[in-house]
Amino acid sequence: PDGSNLNEITSGSSNDSLADWSPDYKRMCFVSDRTGQEEIFIMYTVGTKVVQLTNNKKRNIHPYFSPDGKKILFNSTYKSSGDLEVYQMNVDGSDLIRITTTKDNESCARMSSDNKYITFLRNNKKGLDDLFLYSIEDGSETNLTNSPERVGWPSWTPNGKNILYSSLENDRFSIFKYNLKEKTVTQLTYPMKDYADCRANVSKDGKMMVFNRQHDGEQGRTNALYVCYL
């Protein structure tokens, strides 16, 4: 946390990105194009015992562990017409399940702490760009935002009661909180003109969040990390 003991855990000419910690912090899943396509890999956090989990020669991105550490959600163009769909697999790559089956793009799927719901983004060329909730128990879907504004980067609070996401309100991306029980929306950040807030991530105790603030200025785009209390 203080920036010391920096270790490179992947190397070579490939692109390795979008890493996610397992709940026990012993392993990471990540995306790599080392085989020529974007595939999902898993390894220990020191960079050892790297295992390729997907091998479908399609685009595979946004891997996230389930809160119990037994599953990995990810997005893939596997068995689709080129659109991204939500998939689930075991941490060893077995028992692959396709969650969504539309011709829209679904991405950034995250599972709730009780393993009952999955939130994801759905968009298409007709203007749909919303945050959805999927029930693992009965397979039903609910459009949570249902607005003409663009949304992105959903994440759960640790208690599973709220979903944080960014929305293009007032001509700039701001971070919002959706309360599942009360079905209410609360705006959390108020960036100035030419700024955009996104990629919120909540601390384990649920008291703070870290997020990315972008600024489009005369010198180009700059990015900074901010932390605030919820």
Side-chain angles (χ1 to χ4, degrees):
D2 63 2
S4 62
N5 196 28
L6 179 66
N7 292 294
E8 182 180 0
I9 56 177
T10 64
S11 60
S13 59
S14 60
N15 291 298
D16 304 315
S17 61
L18 300 172
D20 187 52
W21 292 97
S22 62
D24 60 7
Y25 293 108
K26 292 181 178 180
R27 291 184 291 180
M28 289 180 181
C29 57
F30 66 100
V31 175
S32 179
D33 62 4
R34 62 187 63 186
T35 63
Q37 298 286 339
E38 291 177 302
E39 303 281 4
I40 308 296
F41 290 76
I42 193 170
M43 65 180 175
Y44 283 96
T45 54
V46 292
T48 60
K49 295 187 178 180
V50 181
V51 177
Q52 183 175 344
L53 300 182
T54 62
N55 189 22
N56 53 46
K57 295 180 174 58
K58 297 290 185 177
R59 191 181 186 203
N60 302 277
I61 59 174
H62 295 149
Y64 290 107
F65 279 95
S66 61
D68 60 9
K70 297 179 180 180
K71 307 287 185 181
I72 294 175
L73 292 175
F74 67 102
N75 306 118
S76 179
T77 56
Y78 180 55
K79 291 186 177 180
S80 76
S81 57
D83 53 285
L84 288 168
E85 301 290 346
V86 176
Y87 283 82
Q88 174 185 284
M89 62 182 170
N90 293 333
V91 292
D92 62 359
S94 64
D95 195 20
L96 180 66
I97 298 174
R98 183 174 175 177
I99 303 294
T100 61
T101 57
T102 73
K103 293 187 180 299
D104 301 322
N105 280 300
E106 284 97 7
S107 61
C108 298
R110 309 287 291 270
M111 191 176 293
S112 60
S113 56
D114 57 8
N115 300 297
K116 292 183 178 180
Y117 296 98
I118 294 172
T119 185
F120 64 89
L121 301 176
R122 172 174 286 159
N123 62 76
N124 59 30
K125 294 180 180 179
K126 297 180 180 179
L128 176 70
D129 196 344
D130 282 304
L131 178 67
F132 278 75
L133 187 72
Y134 173 86
S135 171
I136 297 175
E137 182 178 5
D138 61 20
S140 62
E141 294 181 356
T142 304
N143 188 336
L144 299 182
T145 50
N146 197 25
S147 75
E149 306 297 343
R150 292 172 56 198
V151 298
W153 308 287
S155 63
W156 291 90
T157 54
N159 59 15
K161 296 181 179 180
N162 303 283
I163 301 171
L164 302 189
Y165 64 97
S166 295
S167 179
L168 192 59
E169 301 283 349
N170 303 318
D171 298 322
R172 65 204 70 171
F173 273 108
S174 306
I175 296 175
F176 291 79
K177 178 178 69 175
Y178 185 95
N179 185 292
L180 289 176
K181 183 178 181 179
E182 300 176 0
K183 297 181 179 180
T184 56
V185 176
T186 304
Q187 185 170 349
L188 300 180
T189 66
Y190 295 84
M192 297 181 294
K193 183 181 179 181
D194 298 325
Y195 285 82
D197 294 345
C198 55
R199 298 181 178 89
N201 205 349
V202 184
S203 60
K204 273 196 167 184
D205 60 11
K207 295 181 179 180
M208 303 182 74
M209 72 172 177
V210 60
F211 64 94
N212 177 219
R213 174 163 285 176
Q214 297 178 349
H215 177 219
D216 289 320
E218 294 180 357
Q219 305 302 318
R221 173 170 290 182
T222 58
N223 292 272
L225 292 175
Y226 283 74
V227 174
C228 68
Y229 285 99
L230 286 173

